[in-house]
Amino acid sequence: MNVTITPGLLRGAITPPPSKSQAHRLLIAAALADGESRIEHLADSQDIQATRRCMAALKAPGEDLPVLDCGESGSTLRFLIPVALALRGGGRFTGRGRLMARPQKPYFDLFDEKGIAYRQEDGVLTVQGRLTPGTFALPGDVSSQFVTGLLYALPLLEGDSRITLTTPLESRGYVDMTLEALERFGIRAECPDGRTLRVPGGQTYRPCRAAVESDYSQAAFYYAANGLGGQVEILGLNPRSAQGDRCIVPYHMQLCGPGEAELDVSQCPDLVPPLAAHAALRQGITRIVNAARLRIKESDRLTAVTQVLTALGADVVEGADRLTITGQPEGLAGGVTVDSHNDHRIAMMAAVAATRCAAPVTITGAECVAKSYPGFWEDYERLGGQIQRS
């Protein structure tokens, strides 16, 4: 689907969709618990469908290795690799888009050390073996998803385990979300010094009732719309949330001021597209730094952000791990067709930036928003956005 946007500012009130990150975590814990849990305020995005589908496959009876279709969800894949080993002695993981090309080396290094077999061929990753308690060394600057995957699996083992981080942990907020979700389901784990996580074995997940919070990651696009002159009232966010992307609030305030700004996104890489859209139209130079991990997302997001915003008329310079954006508060030219790169966050970034273009903007592959925010285009129209689908 292509969407053509006639520029105009967004106005009105919106409640962002439920947090995809929190929903993954609550659903996995609920599936691991004995008994009935109730998860409320759950959006059925493609990524959440993938986690539900894979947990059903893991829990289904059978002696063979289960086949787990992770769609395009990196969280589903990385969270469930250790869980599959703990529950079923492994599994066969499949996916679409760039998913199966995304790096799994931290797990593979552990598997080499612990004698777990793995192979990746023809788009299928097969892991097989017995996950045993012990010490698991992981780099903290690759992805917190590897830490989360182990945190779900290790409590199921008979003995105690320890996760040691060989480099400082980035995206710490996501690990905090995991620990919070585990605690709700009766699982104990602690991180006494920021570099070691202690996980007792022999634990049992207990059912509970939980509600998914509204998502700061998606709310960030409405903060960006406001930074571009819109008047969107953002409702339903938990100001005390453990979501790492809650830092959109101070970052937004920083971008609303004039002059140079430097934003360290090592703890919140998903915020780069909306931050870049805001930066492209503010007064001053913005440097978005420590963003190398964006190259292994649904797209190479540093390149995709640069290409899309540059096509719209923005001044963006791409570096190895950063973007330098010279704002143009008078507006962008638009009048072009841009590629979503099959990346939900790139499509939403383009839609927000289009509100301040001089001429209409067409976004190709706009259906990709269904990965995390299926109702985005409907909400965009409710806020006054003028779009034509084709």
Side-chain angles (χ1 to χ4, degrees), residues 25 169-178 242-245 267:
R25 288 160 170 81
L169 179 62
E170 295 185 3
S171 295
R172 170 63 190 262
Y174 288 100
V175 173
D176 290 340
M177 287 178 68
T178 300
Q243 295 178 55
D245 286 347
Q267 304 297 323

Side-chain angles (χ1 to χ4, degrees), residues 146-361:
F146 298 106
V147 177
T148 287
L150 287 172
L151 283 172
Y152 275 97
L154 297 181
L156 301 172
L157 306 183
E158 292 182 358
D160 298 347
S161 296
R162 181 187 303 258
I163 302 170
T164 61
L165 301 174
T166 58
T167 57
L169 179 62
E170 295 185 3
S171 295
R172 170 63 190 262
Y174 288 100
V175 173
D176 290 340
M177 287 178 68
T178 300
L179 294 172
E180 181 181 79
L182 291 172
E183 185 178 11
R184 290 192 190 192
F185 286 85
I187 297 297
R188 294 178 294 111
E190 60 179 7
C191 185
D193 58 9
R195 295 289 285 266
T196 303
L197 293 108
R198 298 172 182 164
V199 187
Q203 299 191 64
T204 301
Y205 284 81
R206 297 197 301 266
C208 82
R209 181 171 181 168
V212 183
E213 297 175 351
S214 291
D215 192 3
Y216 274 94
S217 303
Q218 310 294 16
F221 292 98
Y222 298 117
Y223 278 101
N226 287 342
L228 273 56
Q231 297 177 0
V232 179
E233 183 182 7
I234 305 169
L235 306 173
L237 294 171
N238 177 7
R240 295 174 296 280
S241 173
Q243 295 178 55
D245 286 347
R246 185 163 58 92
C247 67
I248 185 58
V249 178
Y251 280 7
H252 169 75
M253 296 304 297
Q254 190 173 348
L255 291 181
C256 285
E260 294 194 6
E262 182 168 295
L263 306 177
D264 183 343
V265 295
S266 59
Q267 304 297 323
C268 54
D270 285 343
L271 294 183
V272 168
L275 290 172
H278 189 172
L281 286 140
R282 68 181 289 268
Q283 182 72 49
I285 295 173
T286 306
R287 296 179 180 85
I288 299 175
V289 301
N290 294 325
R293 281 186 295 144
L294 284 151
R295 297 200 181 278
I296 55 173
K297 294 288 187 176
E298 287 83 345
S299 66
D300 178 338
R301 278 196 188 141
L302 287 182
T303 295
V305 166
T306 302
Q307 289 179 352
V308 170
L309 290 181
T310 299
L312 295 178
D315 184 347
V316 184
V317 177
E318 177 185 351
D321 68 343
R322 64 191 57 216
L323 298 173
T324 302
I325 303 172
T326 302
Q328 300 182 60
E330 68 280 1
L332 304 178
V336 295
T337 296
V338 295
D339 182 7
S340 69
H341 295 262
N342 193 37
D343 188 328
H344 52 133
R345 300 193 193 279
I346 298 301
M348 291 186 280
M349 176 196 74
V352 169
T355 66
R356 286 288 309 281
C357 286
V361 172

